[in-house]
Amino acid sequence: MTLRPCILVVAVENYPQDSVVASPLRGTIENASKFVETVRSQLSVPDENILFCSSGDHPLKTHSTCRPEVQAAIEVLLERFANQVGQLFVYLTGHGL
């Protein structure tokens, strides 16, 4: 069995309009994208090994950033890649992350 590198990203840039949590934080999705591209190019990580939780649009987006969606991404990671991950890269960006 070949161990594979995987990437989990949570990039919160936009918050609900009626939220008092925080104002938009520009650049988080772009920064997360740069991180993914760097790791992907250096380790040849295929798209199917990338779980990208984003509050905005992104070509690799697999989940949104609300709690149930991030939990679902983690569950996918555990189910799909159980005992097959050689390296796990986690990138969290946003207010309070």
Side-chain angles (χ1 to χ4, degrees):
M1 169 181 25
T2 302
L3 297 178
R4 305 177 285 180
C6 295
I7 302 172
L8 172 64
V9 170
V10 180
V12 184
E13 185 165 300
N14 301 307
Y15 295 84
Q17 294 288 14
D18 59 347
S19 174
V20 293
V21 175
S23 59
L25 185 60
R26 302 289 173 230
T28 60
I29 296 171
E30 180 182 350
N31 290 341
S33 183
K34 289 177 183 177
F35 172 80
V36 168
E37 289 306 315
T38 299
V39 175
R40 180 163 60 175
S41 67
Q42 291 182 4
L43 298 176
S44 301
V45 179
D47 288 352
E48 60 267 15
N49 288 25
I50 300 170
L51 296 168
F52 200 108
C53 304
S54 173
S55 62
D57 293 330
H58 190 277
L60 292 174
K61 182 177 179 175
T62 58
H63 298 81
S64 71
T65 55
C66 63
R67 180 179 294 189
E69 287 287 309
V70 173
Q71 288 174 332
I74 293 169
E75 289 173 11
V76 167
L77 179 71
L78 294 173
E79 292 170 8
R80 187 186 302 166
F81 301 110
N83 300 317
Q84 297 178 24
V85 175
Q87 296 170 301
L88 173 62
F89 297 90
V90 179
Y91 189 90
L92 308 172
T93 181
H95 289 294
L97 292 178

